Amino acid sequence: SNVAVYYGQGANQLRLSHFCQETSLDIINLGFINVFPEEVGDWPGSNFGNQCDGTYYADSLLLAGCHQIWEDIPVCKAMGKTILLSLGGSSADPGVMSHEVAEWFADFLWYSFGPYNASAVEQGFPRPFQNNSVDGFDFDIESDGGHGYGSMIDRLRDHYTNYPEHQFYISGAPQCPIPDLQLSYAIQNSHFDFIWVQFYNTFACSARAFVEGLTTFNFASWVDVIQASANPDAKLYIGLPAGEAAANAGYYLDETEVWPLISEYIQSYPDTFGGIMLWEATASENNLDARGLTYAEQMKEILYH
Ligand SMILES: CNC(=O)NC(=N)Nc1ccccc1
């Protein structure tokens, strides 16, 4: 099973290559594209915390100087990591997109962050990570959901079919209440590869509730959602805060509390259980146990016990 981690919004975070050298991490979600186009032709905006050099493409909110990221993605690829570009995050204000805007947004992301395409560059698409291609796109939509995300994902998958020799992914990070207001339509109708549910910040369905013996933790119901979705083979991950301060108070579980949770669900749903998602990389890095293991390393140990 995999450990997926968000990177880009950590306090005083180290550069990406530091995390790509951590063997416990399998998937790294780069967050965020946090400003979404409102009209066809609008460029999105990005934010990667303390990374990049603060310069933007002219008349845009899209960062142009993310040298640490474009230098480090090759390290990540050499270490066998899957790098996804994450859209949304808690600060985004996506707004509900029309089908046309959604398809434009998908095309922009593909031509700008996907495989290098000389004709797209000639058409004026930027290359914020230069010649590096991400391995797919993650939807961390925390407000203003709607049908647009289904259109984006379908469009991205059309682009993916033009590169049959390369595996590209689509993932989503819904909140744990079902239906998730932002992503349920897209999950139902479009092909996701990974769904990492935020089993934190909403008490009833949280992992904390499981630890407290409540029956309202709803991983099992999310399995049903996936099995009724456009991709019944999508993998379901348990999303957890990587440190005390990485989520609202009370949601963090220490490794002794995570053991029984993982043990039960990895055994009950071996085909659908995909692993653990952590919010986020720097909180994990700063959250060492008595043995000096980061939280991600503690989680990897539990998965491979
Ligand atoms: C996958 N996205 C997130 O996990 N976002 C997230 N955790 N946002 C947040 C919400 C409340 C407190 C801290 C972080």
Side-chain angles (χ1 to χ4, degrees), residues 60-143:
S60 87
L61 295 172
L62 188 66
L63 289 161
C66 296
H67 58 95
Q68 306 96 327
I69 295 178
W70 75 59
E71 289 161 5
D72 288 3
I73 288 180
V75 174
C76 300
K77 296 288 179 82
M79 299 295 285
K81 309 303 182 191
T82 294
I83 303 294
L84 306 181
L85 180 61
S86 192
L87 318 177
S90 46
S91 71
D93 175 16
V96 179
M97 290 180 286
S98 67
H99 181 75
E100 290 70 27
V101 172
E103 294 210 328
W104 156 254
F105 192 11
D107 288 349
F108 185 95
L109 291 171
W110 181 252
Y111 293 131
S112 303
F113 292 97
Y116 184 83
N117 176 324
S119 71
V121 170
E122 280 160 31
Q123 289 170 53
F125 287 99
R127 295 292 302 179
F129 298 159
Q130 299 199 344
N131 292 5
N132 292 289
S133 175
V134 297
D135 298 308
F137 300 90
D138 173 64
F139 288 77
D140 179 12
I141 307 303
E142 309 207 8
S143 63

Side-chain angles (χ1 to χ4, degrees), residues 197-212:
V197 179
Q198 300 182 42
F199 286 113
Y200 43 91
N201 296 342
T202 308
F203 181 68
C205 46
S206 70
R208 170 54 62 194
F210 171 87
V211 169
E212 297 191 5

